[in-house]
Every structure is written in C-alpha cells, then in structure tokens.
Amino acid sequence: MSHPVAPHHDGSARYVPEQAPELGDTVPVLVRVPAGADVRQVHVRTTPDGEPRFTEAVVDHTDGDTVWWRAQVDVRNPVTNYRFMLTGRRGYRWLNAAGPVDHDVPDNADFRLVAHDPPPAWARDAVIYQIFPDRFARSAAAASRTAPDWAIPCDWDTPVIGRGPETPYQFYGGDLDGITEHLDHLDRLGVNTVYLTPVFPARSNHRYDAAGFDRIDPLLGGDAALARLADAVHARGWRLLGDITSNHTGDGHEWFTRARADAHAVERELYYFDADGDYESWNGVRSLPKLNWGSAELRRRFATDPNSLLRRWLRPPYGLDGWRVDVANMTGRRGTDAYTHEVAGLLRAVATDTRPDALVMAEHGHDHTGDLDRNGWHGTMNYVGFTDPVWSWLRAGDEPLPNFLGTPGGVVRRDADAVLATMNTYRSLVSWRSYTHSWQLLGSHDSARIRTVVGDAARQEVAAGLLATMPGTPMIFAGDELGLTGTNGEGSRTPMPWHRPETWDNRTFETYRSLIALRRAEPALRHGGLRWLYADADTLVFARETVEGSAVVLARRAPGRPVRLTGLPAADNVHGGAPSLRPAADGTVTLPGDGPTFQVWRQG
C-alpha cells in the first residue's frame, strides 16, 4: 500500500494551528493536496447544532508539488466535527479522519475540534514508567515488616505463579522507599513520569481490592513513604501518578463492611444490594463489590467533599499529579444505570479543581471511542488501537497467545495492512487531542510481556520503536527495558532483578534508552502529525510532520524488497544505522530492505 498522491489532514498543529479552541472561536484548518490528486475545489463540511454547513476553502500556499487549502471552522459546539469535500473532474470525494473515501459516510469518523478544557501541557511530553510496587524493589525497612495473614511470603527470586489460587497472595514485599532508591535507573532510561498501581491497604498483592482510601498501605511504608517518593520524583522535575478504583472497592473496605453488616447503614447506598442482601461485584468476583454512582453520598465521599480521597492525595505533602482510573469502562454502568460520562466529568472536574494541571487517565481494554471527547477522561490506555495490533503484527511462534481481555483464540497473526486498518479505525473515531493524550503501551501488569509476545530483542526493538515514534504518550511497564518475560498479566509481574545484573538484556535497555532520548530530542516525534507513506505485509513507513521539521520512520518485521518512495526530501538517519536518504535523479528515495529493523530519519 502506498499513497503518494493522497490528500491529507490530521489534527496536529501543522493542520490546525489553534490546538486549544474555545467556544465561539473561528479556527483555520488546512488540508494538503498533492498536485496529482485531481482536486479543483475544496469545501469544509461542519454540522453546527446538528445541521450540515459547507464553507469554501481557498488556496493558502503552494509548496513544491503540494497545494495547501485553508478553510474556517466555527467552534459552535463543545465538539465540532468537520470533514473536507474534494471536488475534481470525476465528482467529489470526502476526506475524514479515516482517510479519503469516494462514497458518502456517516459523521462518526469526522475530524473533531474539542472546546473542553485541554489536558495539562506537561502530558504532551510525558514518557510513563509503570511500577507494580510489590515487585519493584525492597528498601531495608521491608525486612522488618510482618507479612499479613493473607500473604504467602516469597523471596525475591521465588518464581511468580502466572495462574492459580495463590496468584494474588504471593507477597514479595516491595515498597515505596525501594522505588525512591532506584530512581537513578529511571533517569538513565530517560522516562519522566512514574505511574504506581494501587498503594492503598488491601488483601492482595495487586491492591485493586482497596480496604480503605484514607491511608497508604503500611506494608509499602505508609503515608510518609509516599511523601518521600513524591518529593524525590518532583525534585527531578518529573510527575507522579496514582491508581484509583472508581468501579469497586474490596470487600474488606470499611464502607462495605458497614453496609453488609447493617441494612440501614448510610454506606448501604454506596453499593448495589438486593432485598436478600446479595450484592453486585466486578465480573462476579465477590471480593470486589461494585460501587453505585447513583449515590450522592458516594459522589461526596469519593470526589466532591473538600477532604475527599480524590483530592487528598493530589495535595501536599503527597502531590500526586493525577490518577489512572481502573476499570473506567465499567464505572457507573450497570443495567439501566448509565452514569459513566457523569462520573468521568465529575472526577476530572474535581481533580483539576484541586490542582489545575492534574491528569485523569482512563483504563479501557476494548472500544474506548464512545467515552472520550467529553468533558471527562483526558485519554485512555490504548490497548485496542495500539497494543493488540502491534502484537498481532510482531508476534512470534504459533502457540496461542492470550490478549489483554482473553478473546477466544488469542492474538491472531496479521499483516501490516490489517494492523494499519485497526489502528486507523480507532484513531479516526476520537479527536486528535484524545488520541495523542492516550497512553500507547506494549504491555502492562495486566498482559503478557512484549518480549514473550515477539520472541527476541530484534522484534522488541521494532515494537519499542513504534512506541517511541507514533503519536500518543508512551507507557513502559517496569522490566520491559531489561527483556523480562511473562505469558499473562500475573506472570508478567516479575520482581525486578536488581541483584542479578548479569540477567539484564543490556542491548534492549540501550534500545529503549536511545529511543526515548530520540523522542525527547525530536519535536516531530512528540508533536508532529501522522501521515502513512507505505505498507506491505512486513513493512510500515510513516512520517511525523511539523512546520519546523519532520521525521520518516521505517518499521520492518522481516527482510524484504527495498521501499522506493517519491516526494520525500533528503533526510539524515538518527536511529538504526541505515544510510541517509538522498533523492535519486527520478526523485525517488530508497529505504533499506533488511529486517527486522527500525529506522528513523530526520528531515529539515
């Protein structure tokens, strides 16, 4: 697949100079049209208040063989959708966020201008490092703590049980001071944002079954240890994110124990109880009773009260910079109850009222597109639009490989055209803002490790390269940079082998370090648009473009024919070691055919 003469627009600053429009603004939008694209006239179609309107575009400027058209869009609604009507000798075509189409299409894949308050500015340049506290590092103080009654104490080298009744109870004793002591490792890697899975008291190693929200688990060092970690993180100019369960608590939570013991307790309305005293739980897991967001008292305790749990940990001395919201897709949804968007708006409003630069990130494991571009979540964990398609393209071997949500049959091996179709489908159904502020990830504490998925360091470099160079916020699960393995979520929660540096894959660490450094050094890789240039079964080529400069990226899972493209200027290689790109006499540039490989060239 190659689109050398395809018209293009995306929501990046090169095409939409005003990135944070307000209601009432009139915003210019630009579309690039190659000379050979048979376009004689351009209109922009919007639907203010639900009624279609067409505005004629004018030629803004010409750049070589490319004509740039400009039109004005009135930001009349909080989300203003628009598309381009391209008219030529053979009639008109549409250009929407899914690309050019020669048939009429509904509005759901239109481009979008979002007038809600934007995400915090720091998030555009974040590189997230996810830490599962029980498995990251022990401080000296951990040795003096008595394991709780639910725990199965483990040495740091005890193998992790991937599945079984003991899985949530293996206790390794990692703590927050242990994280603080290893921040130099994160600094060497180049990340700048630390995301902790839950740190509240619980009866499991994962702590998603919170027994309370008013204190930090003493097994992790308590409130003071979080304050120490926050101080250390912030002293480096980094950010620190927490993890909150808005869908459920644990059955040991004081709210639930009161509700279960007394049908007349005020806490009863915080959950879903029936007349017989039975209760709703997350996916039928009885230890995770579901919260009822129809309750005003829950909204007060969780969010709106001046001393609510959501606010408290965002304030000094802890100063979390935001929250990742667990099971955001299910929060507020049960039968006829549909409070999800209200809750998202409430949690975001409270968080940003408490600190204006707070980030509120949603967990979704499947289709997230209907829950974004509202005045709620700033973005999502993009499993379906990034993780799954990258896995399916780069996966190794023929053994069944489960995906995040356990789809029957697991991850299917697919060629690049299907991978690209998946990515573009999900990208086209949300705004550029939501897409670029969502977390792109190769795995997490809930999935297999990327090394297990792809099988070797060479393909992991291709995966990590896509993570570092595509739009969105990269999120790295602690240990991926060392080549750690794991076949499922629980099996991936591997203790960091600090005491066994001989087991580290230093090549993989250097790959991650250099790719993160490249992303931080190249504005186009953080803020540029996305234009796909070529795809075949084993190859993806795309450009990240800004007004000041651009980057061309080649990702190959296997060797093949060199790729020849036209219309690209000279470019210098900045990752991967391939020769620089220099146009031949006929205007073509040749990208190498070896593989697996990941290459990046800088233009301009």
Side-chain angles (χ1 to χ4, degrees):
M1 178 207 74
S2 181
H3 295 302
V5 293
H8 181 74
H9 173 89
D10 56 49
S12 65
R14 191 176 192 190
Y15 298 89
V16 185
E18 177 50 70
Q19 289 285 290
E22 298 181 358
L23 285 175
D25 286 353
T26 297
V27 174
V29 296
L30 290 93
V31 58
R32 65 183 295 161
V33 179
D38 183 28
V39 174
R40 298 182 175 185
Q41 191 176 33
V42 175
H43 290 82
V44 65
R45 175 190 181 271
T46 59
T47 56
D49 302 334
E51 183 69 12
R53 178 185 299 172
F54 291 84
T55 302
E56 187 168 2
V58 298
V59 173
D60 184 81
H61 67 281
T62 300
D63 180 10
D65 291 333
T66 301
V67 180
W68 290 79
W69 297 76
R70 174 174 47 82
Q72 304 293 329
V73 174
D74 293 332
V75 184
R76 181 173 175 85
N77 306 117
V79 178
T80 297
N81 61 294
Y82 65 99
R83 69 171 82 157
F84 296 95
M85 182 180 183
L86 311 174
T87 304
R89 293 184 302 274
R90 295 184 295 275
Y92 70 83
R93 291 180 293 162
W94 297 111
L95 174 64
N96 64 8
V101 291
D102 57 5
H103 57 277
D104 289 336
V105 290
D107 296 347
N108 62 342
D110 281 1
F111 302 107
R112 303 180 186 194
L113 298 173
V114 182
H116 296 304
D117 290 340
W122 63 263
R124 299 181 66 204
D125 298 321
V127 179
I128 313 289
Y129 191 79
Q130 182 195 28
I131 292 176
F132 190 84
D134 184 59
R135 311 290 164 84
F136 190 72
R138 289 171 172 165
S139 71
S144 64
R145 298 181 187 125
T146 302
D149 59 0
W150 53 262
I152 300 171
C154 296
D155 294 328
W156 207 246
D157 289 324
T158 301
V160 172
I161 300 172
R163 281 199 177 91
E166 296 180 347
T167 297
Y169 307 118
Q170 282 190 289
F171 178 72
Y172 289 79
D175 61 4
L176 298 181
D177 285 324
I179 298 171
T180 303
E181 293 167 2
H182 285 85
L183 292 181
D184 283 349
H185 173 80
L186 279 64
D187 191 46
R188 287 192 297 273
L189 184 61
V191 302
N192 59 16
T193 304
V194 179
Y195 153 48
L196 306 174
T197 60
V199 294
F200 300 114
R203 294 186 60 80
S204 70
N205 52 40
H206 55 72
R207 295 185 171 90
Y208 283 99
D209 55 331
F213 295 122
D214 59 346
R215 66 193 185 283
I216 302 303
D217 195 337
L219 295 170
L220 293 173
D223 296 4
L226 180 62
R228 288 190 292 270
L229 175 59
D231 284 346
V233 167
H234 293 144
R236 295 172 182 262
W238 300 352
R239 301 284 176 161
L240 181 63
L241 301 174
D243 196 326
I244 194 71
T245 53
S246 58
N247 178 73
H248 54 264
T249 67
D251 60 357
H253 197 290
E254 59 184 1
W255 296 350
F256 185 73
T257 57
R258 291 172 189 164
R260 197 174 190 184
D262 182 1
H264 301 290
V266 66
E267 287 81 8
R268 191 82 163 187
E269 72 170 61
L270 308 184
Y271 299 89
Y272 287 99
F273 282 91
D274 63 22
D276 298 324
D278 197 11
Y279 59 91
E280 186 86 7
S281 59
W282 175 78
N283 277 357
V285 178
R286 303 292 290 169
S287 61
L288 302 176
K290 184 175 177 69
L291 291 166
N292 178 4
W293 281 93
S295 165
E297 178 64 12
L298 175 62
R299 297 186 184 208
R300 184 189 71 80
R301 293 188 184 194
F302 203 101
T304 60
D305 188 89
N307 296 309
S308 71
L309 69 99
L310 200 69
R311 295 184 190 272
R312 177 184 177 187
W313 304 105
L314 298 176
R315 294 177 178 140
Y318 317 105
L320 294 181
D321 294 282
W323 294 104
R324 178 265 199 185
V325 181
D326 181 59
V327 201
N329 55 296
M330 293 185 73
T331 296
R333 288 188 167 112
R334 178 194 182 258
T336 58
D337 286 354
Y339 303 117
T340 298
H341 299 148
E342 286 182 44
V343 175
L346 176 68
L347 299 190
R348 175 173 171 173
V350 167
T352 54
D353 175 68
T354 307
R355 56 174 304 161
D357 63 346
L359 181 71
V360 183
M361 186 64 47
E363 181 199 26
H364 281 73
H366 65 302
D367 182 7
H368 52 260
T369 57
D371 288 347
L372 300 184
D373 292 328
R374 302 169 183 271
N375 202 13
W377 319 125
H378 287 127
T380 188
M381 298 178 76
N382 192 14
Y383 285 101
V384 289
F386 185 83
T387 315
D388 285 354
V390 170
W391 281 19
S392 67
W393 188 49
L394 295 176
R395 65 153 299 177
D398 298 316
E399 294 299 315
L401 180 70
N403 73 356
F404 171 53
L405 288 178
T407 302
V411 177
V412 176
R413 182 179 288 105
R414 291 189 170 96
D415 290 342
D417 56 348
V419 167
L420 188 53
T422 300
M423 289 181 171
N424 284 341
T425 297
Y426 286 101
R427 177 190 51 77
S428 70
L429 296 177
V430 298
S431 69
W432 182 257
R433 175 191 291 181
S434 288
Y435 174 58
T436 56
H437 284 88
S438 290
W439 291 359
Q440 315 291 30
L441 61 160
L442 298 174
S444 72
H445 71 295
D446 280 327
S447 77
R449 288 269 187 184
I450 185 61
R451 172 56 67 85
T452 298
V453 173
V454 301
D456 58 39
R459 285 198 174 198
Q460 187 171 351
E461 178 176 359
V462 178
L466 293 172
L467 182 72
T469 60
M470 285 192 67
T473 304
M475 192 207 88
I476 299 163
F477 180 35
D480 280 354
E481 76 277 14
L482 304 181
L484 298 189
T485 59
T487 57
N488 58 38
E490 288 79 4
S492 296
R493 300 170 188 178
T494 316
M496 290 286 283
W498 302 115
H499 61 307
R500 298 188 183 278
E502 70 278 4
T503 67
W504 298 13
D505 186 332
N506 290 310
R507 171 185 167 182
T508 294
F509 180 87
E510 283 303 311
T511 293
Y512 275 72
R513 186 200 59 75
S514 63
L515 285 167
I516 293 169
L518 179 66
R519 183 180 179 89
R520 294 178 69 174
E522 300 292 335
L525 298 181
R526 290 177 281 119
H527 307 150
L530 174 66
R531 187 161 62 98
W532 293 100
L533 302 178
Y534 177 85
D536 61 35
D538 297 321
T539 312
L540 289 168
V541 183
F542 59 91
R544 300 293 312 278
E545 299 169 322
T546 67
V547 173
E548 293 78 18
S550 302
V552 172
V553 178
L554 165 70
R556 278 191 180 274
R557 70 178 180 184
R561 295 179 182 175
V563 175
R564 291 179 173 82
L565 299 174
T566 59
L568 295 180
D572 296 323
N573 187 269
V574 290
H575 180 87
S580 296
L581 299 180
R582 297 291 182 263
D586 62 358
T588 62
V589 296
T590 301
L591 281 61
D594 59 303
T597 191
F598 189 81
Q599 304 286 338
V600 184
W601 293 268
R602 178 199 296 125
Q603 300 173 332

